Amino acid sequence: MTFFDKFLRIRELGILTIIIVFVVVASIIDPRFLTFDSWRAVFMAIPLILVMAMGQMMVIICRHVDISIGSILAFAAIAIGLIFIEYPNTPLWVAIIITAFVGAIMGLINGIIVTKFNVHSIIVTLGTLSLYRGLVFIVSGGRQIDRNDIPLSIISFSQTSFLFSIPSILITSTIIVLITHYMMRHTIIGREIYATGSNPVAAHLKGINVTKITLFVFTLCGMLSGIAGLFYASRFGYVNPGVTGVGIEFIVIAGVIIGGTSITGGSGSVLGTFLGILLLGIINVALPVLNIPGGYQKAIYGVIIVAALALDQLIIYRMKKLRSLKNV
Amino acid sequence: MFKNINNYLSENPVIRYWIVRPEWVAVILLILSIITSIQLSPFFADMAFILDSATPYVEYGLIAIILTLIIISGEIDLSIASMIALTAVIFGTVYNEGVNLYLSAIIAVLSGGLCGFFNGILVTKLKIPSIILTIGTLTLYRGIAQAMASDFSLGGYPSWFVGIDYRYLGIIPIPVIIFTIFTLIVGIILSSTIYGKQLYLIGTNPETAKYSGIKVDRIKLILFLFSGLISGIAGVLTTSRLAVARFNMATGAELEIVLMVMLGGTYIFGGRGNIFGTFIAFWIVVILRAGMNVANVKIQSQLTILGAMLIIAIIFTNYIYAKSQK
Amino acid sequence: MKLATKNIGKTFSGVNVLRNVDFELEPGEVHALVGENGAGKSTFVKILSGVYTPTEGQILLNDSSIDITSPIVAQNQGVTLIHQEPQSFSHLTVAENIFMGHMEGSNFSRIKWSDIILESNKILNSIGLQIDPRNIMEGLSIADQQMIEIAGALSKNSKVLIMDEPTSPLTPNEVSKLFKIVNQLKKSGMAIIFISHRLEEIRLISDRVTIFRDGDKIITKKINEVSNEEIIKFMIGRDLKKTEVSENNYIKNKKIILDVKNLTLQSKFQDISFELHKGEILGFAGLVGAGRTEVAKSIFGSELFDSGEIFFKGEKINNYSPNESIKKGFAYVPEDRKQMGIFGSVAVEDNMTSAIPKIISNLFGVINKKRVSSLSNEYIKKFDIALTSGRQLIEELSGGNQQKCIISKWLLSKPSILILDEPTRGVDVGVKSEMYEIIKKLSEAGTSIILISSELPEILSLAHRIVVMREGRISKILNHSDATQEIIMQNAIN
């Protein structure tokens, strides 16, 4: 395995190292950090963001970005919440299908505007971020969905389980992550996604339908954000039109970028994205343990994402130099 | 008949240049929004009311003008709203430490410049794409603001400072005058000077610009610096208007400011656009917002409408640019 | 599989670029296409490979007419184009680059990696390439990338391979490697169409040659029944006389304006030393990839170098940047017009005045529109540039006229040193001779010119001295009187 693969491996190892260093330092400062409860908190904090990150990763690999995912999450959550109010006996699997479907449609709309009108995805999704959020308000009438509105089966999704007392939500997100990994590595469409991001012109020449691929990744990203909406309702027990999902897009993007997916397209791995999100989750949990005020979280995230971007460029610069030295 | 128009336009590139422009879409939208708003409420026929409603938006308008320049040059700055909040928080913090008000304001603006400079250095020297870099710094700057102020509202300003912008020259609020003058100055620089021309060239082809001896990196760095400085000014102005500084000020401002730029017909990929369009778009946003407020349209629904407008605006702009290129 | 065309023609928005091409290709044949830039050979192969659709005529596969409407259709029919600049997926593996777009199965079916690796190894071995298909594309040389594209064509069972100037970016070693593969493929029955401007190479490898000129197919001949001079004659329609390059007054004074000493940029060029005299036209010859453009860019200041010194008018240059160079009077007309030469969607007169900001503006920077118009009109008239108005967008002009605009842009800066990198590429024959006149006049007026060109006749008709580069080093500096095409070529190849 040459070069680029080494680069990715370095990245994943790098994050892993940072994670380990962080955990060690935090545990030394306060041994409470190593308790089961802390870890449980970490792993419960991430399924939502992890699932969304899978979708965002695919979009960024294709040289796009989707910042409307928070609004898609909220809309799917509100929609399913309202359905729960009308039909309190909605089974879990039906709820998953509905939220996935709603999210998929919204993602598809994003994709259509980007491909059909040839507009930059950042601006499109900046617009749909507000458009969808507005729809959340309209549909909910400004009302919050409360705990009593959500069926017990949904709430217990995040609490009980059928496997080693790991909450079902965790198992489900793990399954989603594994499926994503499989799709990206071992199916044709996965490789075509990488190809499209790596060199869209060449992809077209080789017969890849770039439009189809683009629509696919946006739809998938929306679908996963929709499912995350259900996760939200399950985990937090409420859905508030003004709060749910606000600002979450930047945390998701941060995790994806930190995990090694490049904004220039063509590279990125499920493992890396997972590690990136894990790092953010650990920091989240570690802060109170380290007696750092919660208000510092955003700043720390910001430092990490900028540092990751800077580091990426420095590595690319070094690699280019090394490579030209080799070609003497 | 359309075929005849098309042929005429192809043969007259100069006329085509002036007619097939996204800025006309902005003007049409402005007229439409005025008509709509007057239907919504008779207040609108009153010029003074419109001018009054513009005052809170001047802060965003100033930034939109400089953002137009940045987008024309081929970059983007999404950290603007976070810089407003951070500079406001710095302003409040420094002032509450006992520093003189004017000095605090200057420090706040300079800190905005520092943030902008930081953006610029990472984009020009490290070659990080501005789209993702400013997504990173918008988190960072907002985060620093939150770390500094946490959930507090920093206030305690002298009463003459609060509402500093609610002063008038006749019926025109002073901020609107300042905004208009600023727009004129920048507009003239953009359209008539070599500095403006070079921005268009850089946005059209940065490589060729470099080979023509244009100092691409230097110019972009200056633009980002200004973005930070103007955001700093906006931060101080917003604090004055609200009488407090909080870390979550200007949430969602990125959307409104980008909307003003896009509605004005600036092309996201760089190389096209002008200040006149942004200026018109400013008024569109003002009138629509004021109109919706008066018609008691919920804030959140207003968001929907603005979001929809952004999308429609960019679709149209792209369509027109594609057509004009044949 | 036999490929043929009848009466193929192509017209772009009213401009007829190709007409009446009858062509035949036998299986197992290597068929070369030659012609000057704009002669139509590129257009022809693009039609065969599906990039363009013909405006008239038919393509015949085994004597039945087929419609090739896209590159994919062409590939499915067995016709694959290997691009001059390989289009690869640098983030993916070699195997994926070979098989992308035609892997077996539906979208979501599992990829049988072991099968793909096996197949890739088979194909790579068959063309003698020792690369592990599991390696990532990134970092592979252009030659290897090209071979992998060929492997890709083989994986699709292509019967016809079209190569567009494949040897341009290759070192001589790589060229021989490529030719070995071509011969192998030939033996296995594949037909190969080969575009090249290098007659020596064509003679080595092809069976027949077809010459294009000005959109017409002139003639097809067996390679051993036609001499190089005859080919050239068919290509340009006139005899190539060796022209006289006379010394002008400036040259007689032998004043050194630029002194380059031991310029080195790791892996691009080593130990480059030469002098440029005032009023001299210094030609730079060599194969593509010899490092000439890189040297030029370093002299101009747009790229850095590792060691060495440059003296301008006797003084050492300390600050290297395009801006600084332009201030001193340097000008650079780049090879790649679209990427580095023009501002496409910008008016012609703004393009032309883009290097002289201080001249067209006043103290405050306000642009004097009248000056812009008059300055650009001066050169529009002088060079007879075909356009409707100075406000027209430069991208609407033809290649030759665009090139005239770029040269005008730099002449407006009144340079003392003008670096021309492949200035007549993509320019038609008529405009070419106009440009030669312009270049000659400039040197007579005292401008020193560095002329980088891959067209030997061009260098021989213009340059007072010729620097021949080979693989990053200067192999010889020739006086015009000592130079012939053969001697230059000898020094350019191994």
Side-chain angles (χ1 to χ4, degrees):
Chain A
M1 284 287 187
T2 60
F3 205 82
F4 219 83
D5 225 33
K6 279 200 205 125
F7 175 60
L8 272 183
R9 294 285 170 265
I10 294 176
R11 173 44 146 261
E12 286 151 11
L13 276 176
I15 310 173
L16 193 57
T17 317
I18 296 180
I19 290 178
I20 294 177
V21 165
F22 206 87
V23 170
V24 165
V25 168
S27 323
I28 293 177
I29 295 183
D30 189 342
R32 273 185 300 162
F33 190 64
L34 273 182
T35 62
F36 180 72
D37 273 335
S38 298
W39 284 103
R40 191 175 190 281
V42 170
F43 280 100
M44 285 306 285
I46 61 177
L48 208 104
I49 305 189
L50 194 55
V51 161
M52 293 171 87
M54 291 296 119
Q56 186 73 230
M57 176 190 77
M58 287 187 254
V59 169
I60 295 185
I61 287 177
C62 279
R63 302 189 181 188
H64 290 292
V65 70
D66 185 349
I67 54 175
S68 68
I69 48 179
S71 306
I72 295 180
L73 181 156
F75 189 82
I78 280 284
I80 202 66
L82 292 174
I83 290 179
F84 285 151
I85 292 178
E86 273 296 308
Y87 303 99
N89 292 319
T90 312
L92 180 69
W93 63 274
V94 172
I96 292 184
I97 293 182
I98 294 178
T99 49
F101 185 71
V102 167
I105 300 280
M106 297 171 93
L108 181 62
I109 293 176
N110 281 337
I112 290 177
I113 301 179
V114 170
T115 53
K116 181 133 172 68
F117 298 107
N118 194 23
V119 226
H120 204 298
S121 56
I122 185 76
I123 304 291
V124 172
T125 54
L126 186 61
T128 51
L129 176 154
S130 307
L131 183 62
Y132 292 163
R133 177 67 57 180
L135 289 178
V136 173
F137 275 101
I138 292 176
V139 158
S140 68
R143 267 188 53 220
Q144 172 171 299
I145 308 273
D146 291 315
R147 206 180 179 89
N148 341 341
D149 302 320
I150 303 178
L152 203 58
S153 59
I154 308 298
I155 302 274
S156 62
F157 179 58
S158 332
Q159 291 169 339
T160 63
S161 82
F162 48 86
L163 205 64
F164 301 128
S165 71
I166 301 175
S168 309
I169 194 176
L170 218 52
I171 300 179
T172 315
S173 47
T174 308
I175 295 176
I176 293 179
V177 168
L178 291 174
I179 293 178
T180 309
H181 174 83
Y182 175 76
M183 187 188 84
M184 296 303 280
R185 277 285 171 97
H186 298 289
T187 64
I188 291 181
I189 198 158
R191 303 319 291 171
E192 286 186 354
I193 291 176
Y194 278 105
T196 306
S198 177
N199 191 335
V201 172
H204 178 77
L205 285 173
K206 296 258 181 177
I208 296 178
N209 189 336
V210 172
T211 305
K212 177 183 93 172
I213 298 280
T214 310
L215 289 175
F216 180 67
V217 297
F218 273 103
T219 306
L220 220 52
C221 182
M223 181 183 95
L224 290 168
S225 306
I227 294 179
L230 180 64
F231 282 18
Y232 187 99
S234 160
R235 173 104 170 78
F236 296 110
Y238 73 91
V239 179
N240 181 304
V243 166
T244 301
V246 173
I248 205 172
E249 45 271 332
F250 297 119
I251 301 180
V252 171
I253 291 177
V256 172
I257 297 289
I258 290 170
T261 304
S262 170
I263 196 81
T264 50
S267 70
S269 69
V270 169
L271 177 62
T273 305
F274 168 70
L275 289 176
I277 300 283
L278 182 63
L279 178 62
L280 294 181
I282 289 180
I283 292 174
N284 190 340
V285 172
L287 286 185
V289 169
L290 294 173
N291 268 325
I292 301 178
Y296 277 62
Q297 178 185 286
K298 202 176 280 185
I300 296 180
Y301 280 8
V303 168
I304 295 184
I305 186 176
V306 173
L309 288 171
L311 209 66
D312 266 337
Q313 293 302 122
L314 289 171
I315 293 179
I316 290 178
Y317 181 68
R318 276 297 298 172
M319 292 289 196
K320 265 205 191 120
K321 261 215 147 157
L322 281 172
R323 196 185 339 146
S324 68
L325 281 171
K326 256 201 285 175
N327 285 343
V328 171
Chain B
M1 182 183 100
F2 278 120
K3 220 174 178 185
N4 287 335
I5 297 185
N6 249 330
N7 284 337
Y8 177 70
L9 287 177
S10 338
E11 273 145 36
N12 279 292
V14 182
I15 297 189
R16 182 179 79 203
Y17 178 75
W18 283 107
I19 292 199
V20 186
R21 309 195 63 127
E23 287 83 14
W24 292 123
V25 178
V27 172
I28 293 175
L29 280 177
L30 181 63
I31 298 175
L32 281 176
S33 51
I34 294 179
I35 295 177
T36 317
S37 303
I38 294 185
Q39 304 283 43
L40 285 174
S41 158
F43 280 125
F44 266 93
D46 183 7
M47 197 53 167
F49 179 70
I50 299 179
L51 291 171
D52 251 353
S53 331
T55 309
Y57 289 98
V58 165
E59 295 135 24
Y60 292 175
L62 293 169
I63 301 180
I65 299 289
I66 191 92
L67 186 63
T68 309
L69 300 182
I70 293 182
I71 293 184
I72 289 177
S73 79
E75 305 289 347
I76 192 166
D77 187 353
L78 291 175
S79 66
I80 40 189
S82 304
M83 287 197 284
I84 296 178
L86 179 57
T87 53
V89 162
I90 290 179
F91 178 52
T93 309
V94 166
Y95 178 68
N96 280 310
E97 291 292 323
V99 177
N100 168 283
L101 187 82
Y102 293 106
L103 194 55
S104 307
I106 294 178
I107 293 177
V109 173
L110 287 178
S111 63
L114 191 62
C115 291
F117 185 74
F118 184 67
N119 279 338
I121 288 282
L122 262 66
V123 170
T124 56
K125 293 287 177 275
L126 286 186
K127 306 277 177 244
I128 301 177
S130 57
I131 186 86
I132 193 68
L133 188 271
T134 55
I135 286 183
T137 51
L138 80 81
T139 313
L140 177 63
Y141 297 155
R142 180 81 61 182
I144 297 178
Q146 188 177 7
M148 282 178 76
S150 112
D151 218 22
F152 295 118
S153 301
L154 301 164
Y157 308 101
S159 51
W160 63 264
F161 176 71
V162 178
I164 199 173
D165 29 355
Y166 282 91
R167 302 221 187 131
Y168 295 79
L169 196 67
I171 57 162
I172 312 177
I174 300 240
V176 174
I177 297 182
I178 297 181
F179 175 60
T180 310
I181 296 179
F182 183 65
T183 304
L184 274 168
I185 296 177
V186 177
I188 291 179
I189 295 179
L190 186 63
S191 60
S192 313
T193 68
I194 200 68
Y195 311 112
K197 181 64 77 184
Q198 290 186 340
L199 283 185
Y200 285 109
L201 295 180
I202 294 174
T204 304
N205 193 330
E207 198 60 12
T208 307
K210 172 176 150 190
Y211 277 92
S212 308
I214 297 176
K215 300 194 188 155
V216 176
D217 283 350
R218 168 92 68 96
I219 292 176
K220 286 187 179 178
L221 187 60
I222 293 178
L223 286 179
F224 276 104
L225 176 66
F226 266 105
S227 178
L229 288 173
I230 305 276
S231 300
I233 295 177
V236 173
L237 283 177
T238 312
T239 311
S240 149
R241 178 166 54 87
L242 300 176
V244 290
R246 288 185 56 81
F247 87 91
N248 58 0
M249 282 164 81
T251 310
E254 305 93 352
L255 172 69
E256 302 213 47
I257 300 176
V258 167
L259 179 62
M260 285 182 204
V261 179
M262 293 296 141
L263 260 184
T266 302
Y267 191 45
I268 185 65
F269 293 109
R272 311 266 207 112
N274 63 42
I275 300 294
F276 175 67
T278 307
F279 187 68
I280 300 277
F282 170 79
W283 289 105
I284 296 176
V285 173
V286 163
I287 289 175
L288 278 179
R289 282 293 218 155
M292 290 194 285
N293 278 332
V294 158
N296 270 323
V297 175
K298 288 215 181 68
I299 304 272
Q300 305 84 359
S301 309
Q302 293 186 24
L303 273 180
T304 317
I305 298 179
L306 288 181
M309 288 193 65
L310 178 59
I311 294 174
I312 295 175
I314 40 170
I315 291 178
F316 254 112
T317 308
N318 254 57
Y319 182 72
I320 292 184
Y321 278 132
K323 272 284 140 154
S324 73
Q325 297 214 342
K326 255 189 303 180
Chain C
M1 182 175 87
K2 185 160 172 255
L3 179 67
T5 69
K6 251 197 184 60
N7 203 28
I8 288 282
K10 180 71 182 167
T11 303
F12 284 115
S13 341
V15 182
N16 179 229
V17 297
L18 193 66
R19 61 200 79 90
N20 290 336
V21 181
D22 292 335
F23 179 78
E24 270 178 9
L25 185 67
E26 302 290 335
E29 167 182 17
V30 176
H31 194 126
L33 301 184
V34 296
E36 293 191 293
N37 283 327
K41 50 190 196 304
S42 260
T43 311
F44 181 60
V45 300
K46 284 193 174 133
I47 290 176
L48 288 178
S49 57
V51 178
Y52 297 153
T53 46
T55 337
E56 52 187 15
Q58 304 173 308
I59 302 175
L60 302 157
L61 229 53
N62 290 328
D63 294 322
S64 45
S65 169
I66 54 163
D67 273 322
I68 299 186
T69 49
S70 77
I72 282 298
V73 172
Q75 286 163 37
N76 289 338
Q77 295 289 351
V79 180
T80 308
L81 174 64
I82 308 287
H83 303 86
Q84 189 176 17
E85 296 287 333
Q87 292 279 348
S88 42
F89 303 110
S90 53
H91 303 87
L92 301 181
T93 58
V94 168
E96 289 172 300
N97 270 271
I98 294 176
F99 281 97
M100 186 56 67
H102 56 282
M103 287 190 251
E104 279 224 11
S106 68
N107 276 326
F108 292 97
S109 55
R110 188 193 178 96
I111 297 180
K112 301 194 179 65
W113 286 116
S114 45
D115 285 351
I116 293 208
I117 305 280
L118 209 71
E119 274 303 306
S120 304
N121 268 320
K122 253 201 317 201
I123 296 177
L124 290 171
N125 281 332
S126 77
I127 55 175
L129 205 56
Q130 307 285 8
I131 297 183
D132 188 344
R134 289 167 302 184
N135 281 359
I136 303 264
M137 273 310 257
E138 173 93 36
L140 290 182
S141 68
I142 296 221
D144 285 338
Q145 289 184 40
Q146 213 175 52
M147 311 279 193
I148 292 171
E149 252 195 77
I150 295 178
L154 289 173
S155 74
K156 280 184 293 218
N157 290 321
S158 296
K159 300 290 190 304
V160 175
L161 209 63
I162 304 177
M163 301 210 249
D164 191 349
E165 299 218 32
T167 58
S168 302
L170 302 182
T171 67
N173 273 340
E174 291 165 345
V175 171
S176 16
K177 216 172 163 193
L178 177 66
F179 283 0
K180 250 210 280 198
I181 294 176
V182 168
N183 274 323
Q184 246 177 284
L185 294 173
K186 193 172 138 163
K187 288 199 191 104
S188 68
M190 189 177 278
I192 298 166
I193 298 178
F194 189 89
I195 296 183
S196 178
H197 62 262
R198 299 180 178 171
L199 300 182
E200 328 66 33
E201 290 178 358
I202 290 171
R203 208 160 273 290
L204 273 176
I205 195 81
S206 35
D207 301 305
R208 288 194 291 167
V209 58
T210 297
I211 297 114
F212 284 78
R213 183 176 82 227
D214 291 331
D216 289 299
K217 173 198 143 174
I218 303 297
I219 195 168
T220 301
K221 281 249 182 198
K222 290 218 179 81
I223 194 70
N224 47 16
E225 290 174 5
V226 66
S227 70
N228 280 359
E229 291 74 36
E230 288 173 313
I231 294 179
I232 293 175
K233 207 160 166 186
F234 284 126
M235 275 171 69
I236 59 179
R238 61 185 181 278
D239 274 309
L240 184 69
K241 283 190 298 264
K242 180 167 172 178
T243 49
E244 272 306 305
V245 175
S246 58
E247 294 207 336
N248 55 43
N249 286 326
Y250 287 100
I251 297 235
K252 294 201 181 107
N253 283 331
K254 284 228 172 257
K255 203 163 129 200
I256 297 178
I257 192 165
L258 192 69
D259 194 359
V260 177
K261 284 193 170 34
N262 306 108
L263 214 61
T264 303
L265 174 61
Q266 202 118 40
S267 87
K268 291 279 160 69
F269 51 83
Q270 273 83 46
D271 222 15
I272 304 292
S273 302
F274 64 89
E275 292 162 350
L276 177 66
H277 301 101
K278 186 161 160 74
E280 174 177 37
I281 298 178
L282 185 64
F284 267 72
L287 297 178
V288 172
R292 300 166 296 161
T293 298
E294 287 73 15
V295 170
K297 284 184 181 173
S298 292
I299 294 176
F300 184 62
S302 53
E303 300 295 336
L304 298 173
F305 51 90
D306 296 325
S307 62
E309 295 168 320
I310 303 179
F311 294 84
F312 176 65
K313 288 188 181 158
E315 274 186 42
K316 177 162 170 209
I317 301 181
N318 285 315
N319 253 334
Y320 291 98
S321 76
N323 192 269
E324 282 299 315
S325 300
I326 294 175
K327 273 197 225 159
K328 292 194 182 69
F330 286 49
Y332 178 50
V333 176
E335 190 184 9
D336 191 339
R337 202 158 44 229
K338 206 162 167 206
Q339 291 272 62
M340 310 186 284
I342 59 168
F343 298 103
S345 50
V346 170
V348 166
E349 55 185 32
D350 290 329
N351 265 275
M352 285 210 207
T353 54
S354 55
I356 48 167
K358 296 236 168 74
I359 297 181
I360 54 170
S361 62
N362 67 14
L363 205 64
F364 296 105
V366 179
I367 299 177
N368 184 334
K369 296 218 166 99
K370 278 220 177 66
R371 271 216 104 189
V372 170
S373 295
S374 69
L375 285 173
S376 39
N377 279 330
E378 183 191 319
Y379 276 88
I380 291 175
K381 262 209 206 79
K382 200 172 187 173
F383 293 156
D384 207 16
I385 302 179
L387 38 65
T388 50
S389 110
R391 300 274 343 144
Q392 201 175 352
L393 302 183
I394 200 171
E395 61 195 357
E396 293 173 9
L397 269 52
S398 74
N401 284 308
Q402 285 184 11
Q403 195 71 331
K404 284 186 187 174
C405 290
I406 299 176
I407 294 185
S408 310
K409 158 180 164 179
W410 288 110
L411 292 185
L412 276 170
S413 70
K414 305 249 188 300
S416 42
I417 298 182
L418 179 61
I419 305 173
L420 297 170
D421 200 343
E422 307 283 2
T424 59
R425 177 180 312 166
V427 167
D428 65 68
V429 193
V431 178
K432 233 190 233 195
S433 43
E434 286 178 50
M435 284 188 169
Y436 291 172
E437 285 309 304
I438 295 171
I439 294 173
K440 279 197 192 127
K441 281 217 185 78
L442 282 171
S443 105
E444 278 159 27
T447 310
S448 317
I449 298 175
I450 293 178
L451 175 65
I452 301 174
S453 177
S454 298
E455 289 184 42
L456 296 181
E458 182 168 278
I459 290 199
L460 284 171
S461 66
L462 289 172
H464 296 106
R465 288 189 302 145
I466 301 169
V467 173
V468 186
M469 280 189 71
R470 179 179 75 213
E471 294 187 343
R473 289 179 189 272
I474 294 183
S475 81
K476 195 133 178 107
I477 301 184
L478 297 161
N479 277 321
H480 179 261
S481 45
D482 303 326
T484 65
Q485 288 204 41
E486 289 73 25
I487 295 181
I488 296 179
M489 253 319 179
Q490 274 163 26
N491 281 295
I493 310 181
N494 256 324

